[in-house]
Amino acid sequence: MSRTVPPRMKAALCDAPGAPLEIREIDTPEPARGELLVELESCGVCHSDLHLRDGQENLPADLYPIVVGHEGIGRVVRIGEGTTGAPLIGTRVGLPWLYDTCLACKPCRTGWETYCADQTARGVERHGAFAEYALLPASFAIEIPDAIDPVQGAPLLCAGLTAWAALARARLEPGCNVVIIGAGGLGQYGIMIAKARGARVIAVDRDPAKLETARGLGAAVAIPADEHAGAAIRQAGGADVVINFAPSPSAWPMIGEAVNKMADIVTVAMVHEPVPLSMMWLIDGGHRVFGSSVGTRQDTIDFLRFAAMNPLPIDIEAIPFRDADAALDRLKRGEVAGRLCIDFSL
């Protein structure tokens, strides 16, 4: 089953760590059994794409050239022969970070496939969605609700989903204080999701403009990320839940000073440096400290349903496909306040 698909397509390839993306024609992939071919309508531009292009993830050299991109939305145009249980031709689906997993280990069998040791990521081990067409395992195909526009909705598949999953793991109750550290793209989704779930949000960031944006998105309190931030959070009521989107170990002392008893501290930002963690502090406070990585298939379904009913008005700038590499340069220079999204119709 298929629609007419050209034998060649345009893709933004990164030939080696540190090399710029180059848009070239390559063979359009053929879906095998269990796979779908998707024609892309949009793909969000994420900081992870920048890290991959610039070689900051220390990937094996043989993974290059790669096509990055993991916030894709498009329509199914071809179904691999013998595939069962697949969405129909024309169905709009998402292409997020998680490409596939083994489906057989304990995390996979218990609905926690984001912790599968044999998972593969889109735009890393598998070609991503900075291309006119991309493959999608049928077992990982999630339908995009009609209420979600493909350009506005693409960043939901990574930035939004990551914030949703982190908050879903925490003991978030109506009226509790949720501290969002880092009010950039992910943090902005976190602010809106937490507020929609009845929390009182305290936003923390170094950038005054981002703090102003946080207030506009519903943060009750906006606090500069300086040496006084922990005390300021305490004065504002303290933190019952902390979600850290700031990729710096310097956030940890602030968190320790800011939390109330029995706080949940969820780490999302990739911080490689160690931080001091006192076991007596954990015992005396009854705190939970844990990590959260992107989101499962069920997280994605739940979040997209939520987003369809609760629009999340992040500032999203649509860009043409030809500007994909320039978009990563803009991210690198810190020139993007909201999110960038490739619109393949431009």
Side-chain angles (χ1 to χ4, degrees), residues 74-94:
R75 294 190 181 273
V76 178
V77 292
R78 186 170 289 175
I79 300 173
E81 187 175 352
T83 301
T84 59
L88 299 175
I89 294 290
T91 302
R92 179 177 279 150
V93 292

Side-chain angles (χ1 to χ4, degrees), residues 95-228:
L95 290 83
W97 174 265
L98 193 63
Y99 186 90
D100 65 6
T101 67
C102 76
L103 298 177
C105 65
K106 184 175 180 179
C108 286
R109 292 196 306 269
T110 55
W112 293 95
E113 65 264 22
T114 50
Y115 301 106
C116 173
D118 292 324
Q119 66 178 272
T120 57
R122 179 170 281 102
V124 186
E125 293 92 358
R126 304 285 186 173
H127 280 328
F130 278 21
E132 292 177 319
Y133 295 88
L135 294 175
L136 171 65
S139 56
F140 282 77
I142 304 296
E143 187 170 346
I144 303 296
D146 290 338
I148 294 178
D149 174 81
V151 172
Q152 292 294 312
L156 298 178
L157 295 173
C158 179
L161 176 61
T162 299
W164 170 268
L167 286 161
R169 313 273 186 268
R171 294 174 292 196
L172 193 159
E173 299 175 353
C176 74
N177 285 342
V178 173
V179 172
I180 302 292
I181 302 176
L186 276 74
Q188 290 172 20
Y189 282 113
I191 291 165
M192 291 187 289
I193 293 166
K195 187 173 187 297
R197 293 185 55 190
R200 177 174 176 264
V201 178
I202 300 171
V204 181
D205 201 284
R206 294 178 299 179
D207 186 346
K210 289 180 180 176
L211 291 177
E212 188 61 34
T213 298
R215 291 187 189 94
L217 294 174
V221 183
I223 294 174
D226 56 25
E227 66 273 18
H228 307 296

Side-chain angles (χ1 to χ4, degrees), residues 179-183 202-206 211 222-235 238-239 241-260 263 265 275-276 281 287:
V179 172
I180 302 292
I181 302 176
I202 300 171
V204 181
D205 201 284
R206 294 178 299 179
L211 291 177
I223 294 174
D226 56 25
E227 66 273 18
H228 307 296
I233 295 169
R234 293 292 309 163
Q235 188 173 5
V241 173
V242 177
I243 311 293
N244 182 43
F245 296 112
S248 169
S250 65
W252 185 253
M254 171 179 60
I255 292 170
E257 186 178 1
V259 292
N260 295 326
I265 300 155
V275 297
W281 174 79
H287 308 303

